[in-house]
Amino acid sequence: MPLDYATAIPEDAAECVSLRGRTRQNAIPEERLRAVGITVESWAEDIRSGELPGHVCRQAGSLVGYCFGSRRDGEIVVLALLPAFEGRGIGRELLARMVRDLSALGHTRLFLGCSPDPQSRSHGFYRHLGWQSTGTVDKYGDEVLELLVPPRQPDSAR
């Protein structure tokens, strides 16, 4: 079945919260998200306001993955994928779409928190795509990786 990629809309928030608890690594159930202030309502409002742009991927209408970033500071906030859909390039495509969007907003440095454990799938995934360690750790104990992107040229300069 074909995969459908789309820009996230506020109505996607409930499915995103649900899927977040069903990932293979770093699954965060709804109760734990709520404990840190992330609810379906807050996520939907962040999408609606434009603070949290994102992309979703569906197959036969069902959400299989998503990626969101912060308009404010260029952070890749979350990339999540159902285990059955790993290894198909979906995560790579979702991340590439988010990198393009944040770059279009003027960000030339993107960053994210990644497991420092070399056995974690994310550890090699991001590095393979050119993300580099900053040598720092965030408040969750994740290693901070960055991706430097060239400034976008105005259309007339292309």
Side-chain angles (χ1 to χ4, degrees), residues 33-128:
L33 289 172
R34 192 177 311 111
V36 296
I38 300 170
T39 64
V40 169
E41 295 77 18
S42 70
W43 199 327
E45 180 52 35
D46 284 347
I47 296 169
R48 187 176 295 106
S49 72
E51 171 51 35
L52 196 66
H55 291 273
V56 297
C57 180
R58 295 180 180 281
Q59 186 176 62
S62 295
L63 187 70
V64 301
Y66 59 81
C67 186
F68 286 87
S70 171
R71 172 182 293 277
R72 180 178 32 83
D73 59 14
E75 178 183 11
I76 299 295
V77 176
V78 62
L79 172 59
L81 196 59
L82 289 175
F85 291 86
E86 292 174 357
R88 295 184 182 180
I90 298 168
R92 178 190 307 246
E93 177 63 25
L94 289 166
L95 182 62
R97 288 170 182 252
M98 211 56 251
V99 167
R100 282 192 301 269
D101 286 358
L102 294 173
S103 175
L105 291 170
H107 293 286
T108 57
R109 177 192 177 265
L110 308 180
F111 69 98
L112 56 82
C114 177
S115 172
D117 179 1
Q119 299 303 311
S120 169
R121 289 176 57 83
S122 63
H123 190 275
F125 172 78
Y126 292 112
R127 284 167 176 77
H128 177 74

